[in-house]
Amino acid sequence: MQVNGREYRAVWMEGSTVFMIDQNELPFEFKIVEAHQYQDTCHAIRTMLIRGAGAIGAAAGFAMAQAFLQAPKKGTKEFILNARYEIEATRPTARNLFYAVDRVFRAGSGSSEHAVIEAQDIADEDARDSRNIGKYGNELIKDGYSICTHCNAGWLAFVDYGTALSPVYRAHKKGKNVFVYVDETRPRGQGARLTAWELFHAGIPHVIIPDNATASLMSQGKINIMIVGADRVAANGDLANKIGTLEKAIIARTFNVPFYVAAPCSTIDLDCESGSHITIEEREEDEVLYQKGIDREGEIHEILVCSPGSHAFNPAFDITPAHLITGIITEKGIIKPDERSILSLFTENK
Ligand code: MRU
């Protein structure tokens, strides 16, 4: 997507260096960070400089390729296995991370060049799949629709285009009038900081809403459709996504608002029977207790926003059961969130 008239991806690799848009600095600063070694790329994933299922999948694939390039002649196998373990330990929930590492690990048994090619392929496929999700998802969006989304499942969360926002970009490009309600998505504010930044730069009308405003807006008929992304979809259609997604799905069902999940097949985990088997990441309490912002003089500060001395509990994701999901928008079409339809994505020639 374009930023200041230039095409960017959220993450890319040139030579042995991984380049990433620093998502911890957005929306106040647009900064590209370079990771020269796989350990630097791991650090970027762990600290959420790069985040979002597809983007951390691509970054993890590049990290695995970097490990092959860095491997010493003696003790190669041990080095590669340790690197794999380290990359997989960065974040537990998004399926794309494990999918990418596994593919690059296998390819690297041929040569480090094979590993790099595979990692680049994964990134290209992610961008292509996201674009196709936009084509299918656009069919759900009528002229004049208001769409609500949670967290950031835009192009920053993938390599390009995004998932939940890809249909919105497509609809806007096709000349439809669309309006987006952006959940702020506490505690890290991926909606308020990142989705809003993306939409602002794309010229798409939107407002940021407090996380607890969705029910009220839906009860007034102000939201036509809800589209969210996914960190992992289980074989039965259960969804792991940013904390708060479950609440939105329950509210959407209450007010008869269609609730769609946009996700590529690389996010679907056929080995995971149901949502109860998905590991939910618990992050540090400071993400809840402190907030970062910019003052009127342009200075960035991190400040305590809770009662001093109180502790916080910070689960990063929740599980939405399949029965609350209207459909899954994939790169191969829109499917029902059930085992048979999900399996058909991998077995039929789609
Ligand atoms: O913790 P994050 O910011 O990596 O979580 C991202 C989300 O939950 C997104 O909604 C999800 O990844 C789907 S879009 C990639």
Side-chain angles (χ1 to χ4, degrees), residues 175-245:
K176 294 180 197 170
N177 283 312
V178 289
F179 187 86
V180 185
Y181 286 103
V182 179
D183 285 346
E184 65 178 334
T185 319
R186 289 285 190 134
R188 288 188 71 97
Q190 288 95 328
R193 293 189 302 111
L194 305 175
T195 299
W197 181 84
E198 281 195 29
L199 294 171
F200 178 82
H201 281 271
I204 298 179
H206 64 280
V207 284
I208 299 162
I209 56 169
D211 287 324
N212 40 12
T214 325
S216 170
L217 287 167
M218 285 190 182
S219 74
Q220 296 169 58
K222 290 194 171 157
I223 294 171
N224 300 102
I225 185 170
M226 176 118 204
I227 311 179
V228 298
D231 282 86
R232 195 179 288 250
V233 176
N236 71 343
D238 289 352
L239 159 77
N241 195 49
K242 183 53 56 193
I243 191 78
T245 303

Side-chain angles (χ1 to χ4, degrees), residues 84-129:
R84 178 178 183 156
Y85 176 79
E86 223 178 297
I87 300 164
E88 290 187 333
T90 51
R91 294 196 71 192
T93 307
R95 200 255 170 174
N96 301 59
L97 187 150
F98 300 88
Y99 166 85
V101 169
D102 187 57
R103 271 183 60 176
V104 179
F105 179 81
R106 285 166 197 268
S109 66
S111 69
S112 53
E113 286 75 26
H114 283 95
V116 174
I117 291 168
E118 190 73 359
Q120 296 286 12
D121 281 352
I122 290 168
D124 289 344
E125 286 166 25
D126 186 87
R128 190 193 60 210
D129 292 347

Side-chain angles (χ1 to χ4, degrees), residues 48 51-54 91 151-153 157-158 163 190 229-231 241-242 317:
M48 293 179 68
R51 35 76 38 209
R91 294 196 71 192
C151 195
N152 170 261
F158 281 80
T163 51
Q190 288 95 328
D231 282 86
N241 195 49
K242 183 53 56 193
F317 303 96

